Amino acid sequence: VSSAFSLSLNPAQVTSGDVKVSIAWDTPTDVDLWVREPSGETIKWSNTTSGTGGHLDLDSNAGCSIDNVNNENIFWPPGQSAIGEFEVTAHMWASGCGNPPGPAGASGTVTMTYCGTDSPKVVPFTLANEGATQSFKFTSLCGSRVSGNVKFEDFPVTDAGLGASAMVPVR
C-alpha cells in the first residue's frame, strides 16, 4: 500500500446509442478513431457525421492540441445504426506532437459496443509511429431485432370435422 496522492482527471462526457466505438490511449499524442460503416462511409476527424446519423462527439488531442483526455468516441443514436459489418481503425496521426522527449507511439484499448452476441468487445492496440494503423471488425444487427408475441388461429380436428378456433402462441 502506498501513501495517498492527488491525480487530476479530465473527464469528457460522450454519447452512446445502438452502436458506440471508443478509443483510449496512454501518451500525449494524436491518435485518431475511424469507423467505416456498412455503407462504406467513414466517420473520422474530417467527416464527423455520417448519412446514417453516426457522429464523432469527442476528438481528443486534435492537431496535437494536447487536452490530456486521450479518448475519442463515435456513436449512432438508438434506431439509426446500420446493419452489417463495421471496420474500426486506430490511426497514429502524430507521434510525440512536438513535445520532446515525446513518446515513440501509443497503446491502449478500443471498445466496441453493438447489437451482437460478442458485444461489448474490448481489444488492445499498439501504434509504434506516425502513420501506423491497426484495424478491427464487428457485425452489428441492431436494425434486425424483433420482439413481441406471435399467435396463430388453430382449428382442432374432431370427429365432426374442425372444432372451434382458438388463438394459440407459436412455439
Side-chain angles (χ1 to χ4, degrees):
V1 177
S2 67
S3 58
F5 63 93
S6 295
L7 176 64
S8 296
L9 300 176
N10 295 319
Q13 185 170 350
V14 296
T15 310
S16 68
D18 286 342
V19 173
K20 175 182 169 185
V21 181
S22 294
I23 187 171
W25 64 95
D26 61 352
T27 56
T29 57
D30 187 359
V31 174
D32 286 326
L33 176 63
W34 301 344
V35 178
R36 183 180 49 79
E37 53 187 31
S39 70
E41 186 173 5
T42 299
I43 300 172
K44 58 183 181 177
W45 64 271
S46 61
N47 184 43
T48 60
T49 303
S50 74
T52 62
H55 184 70
L56 170 70
D57 68 343
L58 177 60
D59 185 4
S60 183
N61 299 343
C64 281
S65 178
I66 304 300
D67 59 18
N68 295 311
V69 173
N70 297 357
N71 192 293
E72 296 199 356
N73 187 72
I74 296 175
F75 76 98
W76 282 257
Q80 291 188 22
S81 127
I83 300 169
E85 185 175 80
F86 289 74
E87 182 175 12
V88 176
T89 301
H91 171 255
M92 175 65 78
W93 187 80
S95 179
C97 288
N99 299 316
S107 61
T109 58
V110 174
T111 303
M112 299 164 274
T113 306
Y114 51 93
C115 301
T117 56
D118 56 348
S119 172
K121 186 185 289 188
V122 180
V123 294
F125 72 89
T126 300
L127 303 172
N129 51 31
E130 194 167 308
T133 63
Q134 198 168 353
S135 295
F136 313 94
K137 293 182 180 182
F138 66 89
T139 300
S140 183
L141 304 172
C142 290
S144 63
R145 291 185 291 180
V146 176
S147 64
N149 297 315
V150 178
K151 294 183 177 185
F152 70 97
E153 189 172 11
D154 186 25
F155 294 90
V157 177
T158 67
D159 290 339
L162 295 178
S165 71
M167 296 302 291
V168 294
V170 172
R171 293 192 172 105

